[in-house]
């Protein structure tokens, strides 16, 4: 029995070391800016962007031809955060745009920039912390970025005026960011929030990815990552959850999601919608993969924006 007990203890020790190593590897690849790679994210998301490249090149040329400037703020925890501001001729309505995981402000809104600029909006395309030109070692996954969003809202009010009519628009991680922001006390200038394929919390989107793409159990990897993240990044992986935050929302919300999204499942959109206590609308784009909804059915997407924005900005 002694030999068996020692062998079992040794095996358990090896398993614990292996699990700890796997958790550390997962954490670094997911949470640290120098390890999280856009190519890996695009592969996991599975969206075929090649079919939209001609349109995106055309829209990018239009966007870059508009007057724009680099702007900077400092986060509550001392990070220098970057954004690109398109004043659009001194417009009195504006949209702050939040990008997806491993992306940056000037990438995710190439298509939508045409809609907003043509509809008379100033645009602020922010680089969320640990992305683009913004500082930060650990990715905020909306949990920290929602506090940065308050700073960007104040920047817009200081720049354009407190009478600005302001929309928040987020895609993927940016969608989670704006939904998490909805639970905070927002100034009256914020008229509406648009979330495209936002997730509930990093805990649940990581769990989904581990199950569906890596065929791995979430326990104890998520629990270990949560403990490490609390120590290193300062927040828990389910500390802020969009489905809980929208229960406190007072600003109208439009939710958009693709029915074929395998990266952030459409069920998360349904959960958020059911929990939302503010005026709400929903658009599910049939056949759209992750973050593809605008390009998959531009007519339906823009019609939903027209109806929603028209109802909140008079």
């Amino acid at each position: 029995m002694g030999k068996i007990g020692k062998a079992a203890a040794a095996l358990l020790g090896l398993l614990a070391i292996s699990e700890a190593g796997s958790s550390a590897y997962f954490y670094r690849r997911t949470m640290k800016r120098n390890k999280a790679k856009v190519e890996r994210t695009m592969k996991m998301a599975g969206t075929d962007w090649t079919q939209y490249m001609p349109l995106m090149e055309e829209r990018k040329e239009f966007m870059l031809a508009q007057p724009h400037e680099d702007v900077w703020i400092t986060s509550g925890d001392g990070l220098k955060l970057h954004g690109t501001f398109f004043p659009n001729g001194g417009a009195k309505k504006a949209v702050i745009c939040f990008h997806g995981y491993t992306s940056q402000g000037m990438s995710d809104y190439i298509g939508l920039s045409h809609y907003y600029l043509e509809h008379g909006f100033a645009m602020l395309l922010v680089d969320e912390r640990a992305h683009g030109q913004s500082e930060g070692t650990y990715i905020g996954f909306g949990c920290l970025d929602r506090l940065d969003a308050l700073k960007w809202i104040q920047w817009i009010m200081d720049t354009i005026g407190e009478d600005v009519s302001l929309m928040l628009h987020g895609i993927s991680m940016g969608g989670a960011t704006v939904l998490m922001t909805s639970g905070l006390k927002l100034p009256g200038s914020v008229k509406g929030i648009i979330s495209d394929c936002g997730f509930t919390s990093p805990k649940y989107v990581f769990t989904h990815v581990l199950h569906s793409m890596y065929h791995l159990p979430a326990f104890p990897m998520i629990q270990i990552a949560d403990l490490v993240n609390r120590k290193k990044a300062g927040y828990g992986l389910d500390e802020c959850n969009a489905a809980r935050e929208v229960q406190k929302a007072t600003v109208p919300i439009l939710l958009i999601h693709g029915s074929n999204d395998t990266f952030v499942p459409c069920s998360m959109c349904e959960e958020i919608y059911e929990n939302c206590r503010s005026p709400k609308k929903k658009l599910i784009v049939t056949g759209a993969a992750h973050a593809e909804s605008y390009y998959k059915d531009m007519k339906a997407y823009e019609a939903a924006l027209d109806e929603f924005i028209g109802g909140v900005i008079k």
Side-chain angles (χ1 to χ4, degrees):
M1 290 296 292
K3 290 182 179 180
I4 294 174
K6 288 179 181 179
L11 178 59
L12 288 172
L14 288 172
L15 289 173
I17 292 170
S18 175
E19 189 62 53
S22 297
S23 299
Y25 177 71
F26 167 76
Y27 182 82
R28 288 194 301 270
R29 282 167 53 100
T30 305
M31 303 302 296
K32 294 192 71 174
R33 75 175 301 161
N34 61 338
K35 298 294 184 181
K37 303 297 184 182
V38 63
E39 296 82 6
R40 188 165 64 243
T41 302
M42 292 180 69
K43 183 177 180 180
M44 289 192 297
T47 306
D48 178 14
W49 292 109
T50 57
Q51 59 189 311
Y52 305 118
M53 288 308 297
L55 174 63
M56 293 174 76
E57 288 296 329
E58 179 185 322
R59 293 285 177 93
K60 183 178 182 179
E61 183 178 354
F62 167 80
M63 179 177 74
L64 294 178
Q66 311 309 309
H68 58 281
E69 60 180 321
D70 293 319
V71 297
W72 305 86
I73 63 169
T74 302
S75 70
D77 53 349
L79 299 178
K80 189 177 181 182
L81 304 179
H82 171 261
T84 307
F85 182 55
F86 292 76
N88 203 9
K92 294 299 290 183
K93 56 184 180 179
V95 58
I96 306 178
C97 300
F98 297 84
H99 61 78
Y101 176 61
T102 69
S103 189
Q104 56 187 321
M106 289 289 280
S107 295
D108 284 6
Y109 289 86
I110 291 171
L112 278 161
S113 66
H114 187 272
Y115 174 87
Y116 279 118
L117 293 171
E118 287 291 294
H119 282 75
F121 280 82
M123 295 186 75
L124 175 60
L125 311 180
V126 308
D127 289 343
E128 298 198 48
R129 58 172 55 216
H131 288 80
Q133 297 182 58
S134 289
E135 293 181 341
T137 301
Y138 296 98
I139 296 170
F141 281 99
C143 301
L144 299 181
D145 306 284
R146 64 180 185 144
L147 303 177
D148 302 334
L150 293 180
K151 296 277 189 178
W152 284 118
I153 290 169
Q154 188 61 52
W155 186 91
I156 283 285
M157 293 171 61
D158 291 343
T159 302
I160 297 179
E162 293 194 359
D163 59 341
V164 63
S165 294
L166 181 59
M167 305 295 296
L168 307 180
H169 193 137
I171 297 174
S172 191
M173 186 181 76
T177 297
V178 296
L179 292 173
M180 292 174 182
T181 304
S182 75
L184 302 173
K185 185 177 181 180
L186 299 175
S189 295
V190 179
K191 304 301 183 184
I193 291 173
I194 301 159
S195 173
D196 183 340
C197 62
F199 52 76
T200 52
S201 76
K203 174 183 177 180
Y204 290 107
V205 78
F206 295 165
T207 297
H208 169 74
V209 168
L210 285 171
H211 286 165
S212 64
M213 298 182 185
Y214 293 99
H215 308 292
L216 292 171
F219 179 84
M221 199 173 294
I222 293 296
Q223 286 70 22
I224 294 172
D226 181 76
L227 290 172
V228 173
N229 203 58
R230 287 178 185 274
K231 181 178 180 179
K232 292 184 177 292
Y235 70 96
L237 297 183
D238 194 44
E239 184 174 310
C240 190
N241 185 306
R244 293 196 300 266
E245 292 304 307
V246 295
Q247 293 176 3
K248 300 178 283 186
T250 57
V251 175
I253 293 175
L254 169 62
L255 297 170
I256 301 171
H257 218 102
S259 68
N260 286 9
D261 192 335
T262 58
F263 195 37
V264 177
C266 197
S267 59
M268 288 193 179
C269 177
E270 299 295 348
E271 180 183 355
I272 293 165
Y273 184 82
E274 290 301 317
N275 278 277
C276 185
R277 293 295 173 263
S278 64
K280 58 191 177 183
K281 293 183 181 294
K282 177 176 62 175
L283 171 67
I284 305 299
V285 178
T286 302
H290 188 65
E292 188 188 18
S293 292
Y294 180 70
Y295 297 94
K296 189 72 172 181
D297 194 341
M298 193 177 299
K299 183 177 180 180
Y301 199 112
E302 292 192 350
L305 291 182
D306 287 342
E307 180 183 2
F308 181 71
I309 296 172
V312 298
I313 297 179
K314 305 302 181 185

